Amino acid sequence: SGRTGDGDGAPRPLYMDVQATTPLDPRVLDSMLPYLTAYYGNPHSRTHAYGWESEAAMEKARRQVADLIGADSREIIFTSGATESNNMAIKGVARFYKSRKKHIITTQTEHKCVLDSCRSLETEGFRVTYLPVQKNGLIDLKELEAAFQPDTSLVSVMTVNNEIGVKQPIHDIGEICRARKVFFHTDAAQAIGKIPMDVNNMKIDLMSISGHKIYGPKGVGALYVRRRPRVRLEPLQSGGGQERGLRSGTVPTPLAVGLGAACEVAQQEMEYDHKRISKLAERLVSKIMHKVPDVVMNGDQEHRYPGCINLSFAYVEGESLLMALKDVALSSGSACTSASLEPSYVLRAIGTDEDLAHSSIRFGIGRFTTEEEVDYTVQKCIQHVKRLREMSPLWEMVQDGIDLKSIKWTQH
């Protein structure tokens, strides 16, 4: 199955966790290498060629990022990743307009860094509405409209969810926000380079981007900040005034170059990748569903990015299944919260039963996933779900026609 050793002779698992991070595309590495060795100037050094050549490379990368989302390169701010971009956008806008506006709207299924930024603003006296999502994982636009208050400054809704892959109606949300003159931020880390995104067409005012979700380097990202109508931010980081004064600190040229190259490659490959990934995803889901009863696919079937598949296998403990599938790298939710025993808050928000939430596995299919890897994963998955269910007394009871919901369990 094409797995490589880790030096100890033990084969490494095959990789099905592209939502957590992606491998570096070799074309991206090629673009970065010169800036790690020969061209090492500080891009902000104005007095010599070392600085100028790095600056030129950085500005080219800025254009490549901007082109992918239909923006002007002056609207791209380099950051360390989407977590920093989300923090900058949410805290930055809220604090800049705080004398007149003290209300923010987001959703219950956002990434932790968005929810935590909002929580931290609540301690500063801001009010936050956390919109619920429907069973399919999408927000109800009527509920969004009802949530606006006269002093709402920002709406933050992610484009593609990192756990269940659902795609929010970004275009409609943008229209609603623009009509009310409220800024619209979207965390697009899982969407950029995978589905077409256009900040003008979608009326997005701020957008967070991550390098390592699009086959670029780790440790770099970007924040798109609209110039017209102009969005003002209070910076989080003070210093030498780089990045329009919004994000001081030397821009790491090799990483910026890598992010730019990853965006350009993604633009070229987007259509091809999407077709290929859709086919592989369809293959994975239909093969599993065909052989295993009582499997639920979490999130809307239509409005989704196909490479992120979240399945719940009833009567199986997700952790046991992950352990059994040790030769496939998978996860039961986001890497950021994988250490906690709580079921995923995203699954809880879509109303998944506690036991089903505990039995969910996320499969990630990406640019470099092969058909063999999908088939291997499917085969192992079917084998272990059957085995684990045979060991489960609950499964036995269900086979005997007992309705588990009707049982009165005694507490010992």
Side-chain angles (χ1 to χ4, degrees):
S1 60
R3 284 171 292 153
T4 51
D6 57 6
D8 302 333
R12 287 173 73 202
L14 56 89
Y15 192 72
M16 298 287 279
D17 199 19
V18 290
Q19 275 72 41
T21 195
T22 52
L24 195 63
D25 190 296
R27 292 164 285 193
V28 171
L29 179 61
D30 286 344
S31 74
M32 291 169 67
L33 281 171
Y35 297 95
L36 288 161
T37 51
Y39 302 102
Y40 49 78
N42 182 324
H44 314 291
S45 296
R46 284 292 161 84
T47 56
H48 50 68
Y50 289 84
W52 305 329
E53 63 204 10
S54 290
E55 184 186 29
M58 172 180 83
E59 292 310 327
K60 177 187 174 188
R62 207 186 292 282
R63 281 196 303 281
Q64 290 168 314
V65 177
D67 286 348
L68 179 61
I69 60 172
D72 179 312
S73 62
R74 291 170 300 179
E75 299 175 305
I76 302 299
I77 306 292
F78 287 116
T79 68
S80 63
T83 290
E84 186 187 356
S85 299
N86 285 334
N87 272 268
M88 271 176 75
I90 292 165
K91 294 174 181 170
V93 166
R95 289 172 184 160
F96 191 91
Y97 296 97
K98 68 172 179 243
S99 59
R100 303 193 313 281
K101 300 180 168 182
K102 302 285 281 195
H103 180 245
I104 295 158
I105 301 172
T106 187
T107 80
Q108 293 174 3
T109 52
E110 294 300 305
H111 190 276
K112 267 281 192 270
C113 62
V114 167
L115 296 175
D116 282 357
S117 292
C118 290
R119 293 259 184 272
S120 127
L121 287 172
E122 285 181 294
T123 67
E124 296 174 26
F126 291 89
R127 304 184 315 287
V128 182
T129 300
Y130 299 93
L131 289 176
V133 292
Q134 305 165 90
K135 280 255 182 262
N136 60 3
L138 302 177
I139 64 167
D140 178 339
L141 292 171
K142 296 241 181 335
E143 286 189 19
L144 169 64
E145 289 184 327
F148 281 91
Q149 295 176 14
D151 66 342
T152 305
S153 60
L154 183 74
V155 170
S156 179
V157 178
M158 76 197 316
T159 306
V160 168
N161 185 275
N162 54 311
E163 287 194 33
I164 56 177
V166 297
K167 189 164 90 217
Q168 298 292 351
I170 295 300
H171 191 279
D172 301 337
I173 299 170
E175 294 278 354
I176 292 170
C177 293
R178 184 64 58 85
R180 288 175 171 70
K181 296 194 164 52
V182 169
F183 292 131
F184 174 35
H185 165 254
T186 186
D187 170 1
Q190 298 283 351
I192 288 294
K194 300 183 171 84
I195 57 173
M197 295 291 291
D198 184 297
V199 291
N200 294 315
N201 166 26
M202 294 172 158
K203 300 194 166 43
I204 294 166
D205 299 306
L206 301 116
M207 178 197 273
S208 300
I209 296 172
S210 170
H212 75 109
K213 309 289 186 188
I214 56 170
Y215 312 94
K218 293 167 181 58
V220 67
L223 177 63
Y224 157 77
V225 182
R226 179 175 289 285
R227 284 169 69 92
R228 289 195 189 83
R230 187 160 181 218
V231 183
R232 308 286 302 273
L233 305 177
E234 188 178 292
L236 294 181
Q237 189 143 302
S238 320
Q242 295 93 339
E243 297 303 279
R244 297 195 353 227
L246 292 178
R247 205 281 187 182
S248 287
T250 301
V251 172
T253 313
L255 296 182
V257 165
L259 175 63
C263 286
E264 186 167 296
V265 170
Q267 201 167 359
Q268 295 159 1
E269 305 282 357
M270 193 183 304
E271 216 174 309
Y272 174 78
D273 278 350
H274 198 277
K275 278 198 188 107
R276 202 176 147 268
I277 287 167
S278 302
K279 237 163 71 187
L280 290 177
E282 166 61 27
R283 184 181 181 100
L284 180 123
V285 174
S286 60
K287 282 189 158 192
I288 289 178
M289 297 269 196
H290 183 63
K291 285 278 203 281
V292 183
D294 298 315
V295 180
V296 179
M297 186 168 181
N298 296 305
D300 195 272
Q301 304 296 303
E302 294 304 300
H303 305 280
R304 64 178 313 108
Y305 169 65
C308 180
I309 302 153
N310 191 305
L311 301 177
S312 290
F313 298 90
Y315 319 111
V316 171
E317 193 67 51
E319 294 300 320
S320 325
L321 185 51
L322 280 181
M323 291 301 136
L325 292 166
K326 60 181 179 297
D327 41 4
V328 183
L330 293 158
S331 83
S332 53
S334 75
C336 321
T337 51
S338 62
S340 72
L341 290 171
E342 284 292 293
S344 146
Y345 64 91
V346 172
L347 294 180
R348 242 188 316 200
I350 61 173
T352 309
D353 276 349
E354 180 101 2
D355 45 359
L356 266 185
H358 275 297
S359 63
S360 77
I361 302 280
R362 181 182 68 184
F363 300 84
I365 294 177
R367 180 180 294 163
F368 302 116
T369 309
T370 64
E371 204 169 89
E372 295 76 46
E373 288 176 320
V374 167
D375 290 349
Y376 181 83
T377 302
V378 165
Q379 170 220 328
K380 285 288 184 205
C381 201
I382 293 168
Q383 172 193 335
H384 288 299
V385 169
K386 286 185 169 162
R387 183 179 63 81
L388 288 167
R389 279 181 177 172
E390 277 159 17
M391 292 158 61
S392 159
L394 296 180
W395 174 249
E396 209 172 309
M397 291 159 85
V398 171
Q399 299 317 297
D400 295 341
I402 297 170
D403 175 14
L404 295 183
K405 294 250 189 300
S406 68
I407 297 173
K408 302 271 182 285
W409 304 97
T410 57
Q411 295 291 322
H412 289 297

